[in-house]
Structure formats: C-alpha cells, structure tokens
Amino acid sequence: MNNYIDTDIDPLMASKKSRPTVTGRFKPSAVLALALSFIVIGEIFLFSASVSAGIFGIAGILAYVVLYSMWSKRRHVSNTIVGSISGAIPPLIGWAAVEPALGMGAWALFLIMFVWQPPHFYALAMKRTEEYRAAGIPMLPVVKGFHRTKKSMLAWVLLLFPLPFLLMDLGIGFIILATLLNVGWLKLAIKGFKVEDDLKWAKTMFIYSLNYMTILFVSMIIFAVFV
C-alpha cells in the first residue's frame, strides 16, 4: 500500500528509486491489487487465530495506511510519532493470537516499540534529510533542523527507562540488562550535541537502535524460558 500511495514522491528519493512502482516492473494497479490481496489473506489468517488478533491487524493497517501514509506523512512534522502506532502493534497481534485477553506484558511490549521508534527513525531521517526535503515530506530534521531533532531523540530515549519495569516477571536480570542498554543509548544521544559530524553520529544512533531492539527482544525470550 505504501508503494502505491507514494508513487508520486518515490522517484524523488534516492532510497526509493528501486521500488517496482518506480522502475516500472509493476503497474500501480497491480501493486494495489497485490496489497489488498495480502491484507485480505492476512486478516483471514489472523481472525482464524483469534478475533482479537484480527482486530489488532485491522488497527495496524488503518494506523499505517490511513493515519500515517495518507494523512500525517505529508502534512505534519509529527508523522513519525503517528507512524509509530502501527509499528508497535505487531506484539499485540502476536500476543492476541495466543491469549486474546491482553495482559500488561502485551501493552509493555507495545509501549517499548512505540517509544523506540522515534529516535530510531529520526536517526534515519537525519541521514536522508535532503531526500525528504526534495519530496516535500515534513520530517523533523527537515522542518526543525538537526539540533531540535537531537533534543527529541534524547527525550524519547529517556522515556524508555521506566518501561522495562513493566516486565518485572522476567526477573531482575532482564531489568538490569534493559537499563544498561538504555544507559548506553542515553550516553550516545548526549554525545550527539558535541559531535562535529552529525550524519556519522546519526548512523551510529541508527545502528545502536537496531542492536538495542534485537538484544532486548532476544533477552525477553531467554529470560522467559530460563528464569
């Protein structure tokens, strides 16, 4: 759906020029048909798992396609935050497929993924500022500049600190590990106000965010199984 909706701006962004709608490998109508087919098939599978999983699947689709791609992406500087809603819904879908009545753990995962996304995507947006500027997309670095973006990234990283405590059932070991990951990201975020090469720092922040999420979620599995 994103490929279909952004056919007019993707050719303006170097990182999107390999998309099949840009290269001409697929016509927009074919992409739309494929996207709708995947949505229908996916929802059939989700509803077959549980009604809750299907409903959260629909919520994720609406959040990404309507709230983000069709509404906020081209209009509001808060588009990244709006997009984070859909990005944080997958844990709710997975949880609901097993246990339709969501527990605190499910919402803790949602909050962690929601708060994690702005500093992750702001780092990427800094690297691609000129692309977004050329496409007319009001990403935070484009509208407010790098210094303001760094402040927002710092604030979102700080918001991550209390969230691991919502998963106390995983034990003190998990809390310590998650806190250490948060401290490491915080130190890197603060360092950003002193660096000379903003884009190099943004790349480091982006890589750290990927490792952060991988380590955190793998550790959840390990502590859940062995603790």
Side-chain angles (χ1 to χ4, degrees), residues 91 109 112-113 212-222:
L109 296 179
I112 288 172
M113 288 204 68
Y212 175 97
M213 186 54 68
T214 301
I215 295 171
L216 191 70
F217 272 59
V218 170
S219 70
M220 289 179 190
I221 298 171
I222 294 172

Side-chain angles (χ1 to χ4, degrees), residues 1-10 13 16 19 32 35 39 59-76 78-87 121 132 135-139:
M1 288 300 297
N2 183 261
N3 276 245
Y4 175 76
I5 293 168
D6 289 345
T7 51
D8 59 329
I9 59 174
D10 282 345
M13 302 181 67
K16 310 295 185 185
R19 282 184 166 182
L32 177 61
I39 287 173
I61 294 166
L62 293 176
Y64 188 79
V65 175
V66 179
L67 292 181
Y68 175 67
S69 293
M70 297 177 66
W71 174 61
S72 67
K73 183 175 182 177
R74 306 190 193 199
R75 294 178 175 85
H76 304 289
S78 59
N79 53 16
T80 302
I81 299 171
V82 174
S84 296
I85 298 171
S86 59
F121 283 111
Y132 285 118
I137 301 175
M139 299 295 287

Side-chain angles (χ1 to χ4, degrees), residues 11-40:
L12 304 175
M13 302 181 67
S15 60
K16 310 295 185 185
K17 287 185 177 180
S18 62
R19 282 184 166 182
T21 44
V22 178
T23 62
R25 288 180 59 205
F26 289 94
K27 295 180 179 179
S29 58
V31 172
L32 177 61
L34 187 63
L36 293 175
S37 298
F38 281 151
I39 287 173
V40 172

Side-chain angles (χ1 to χ4, degrees), residues 123-139:
L124 183 62
M126 286 179 66
K127 288 163 55 77
R128 297 178 178 172
T129 297
E130 296 309 315
E131 287 188 44
Y132 285 118
R133 194 189 310 277
I137 301 175
M139 299 295 287

Side-chain angles (χ1 to χ4, degrees), residues 40-62:
V40 172
I41 294 170
E43 281 302 315
I44 290 173
F45 280 121
L46 289 181
F47 274 106
S48 70
S50 76
V51 174
S52 296
I55 291 173
F56 280 116
I58 292 174
I61 294 166
L62 293 176

Side-chain angles (χ1 to χ4, degrees), residues 85-99:
I85 298 171
S86 59
I89 284 180
L92 298 181
I93 297 173
W95 193 296
V98 179
E99 184 183 339

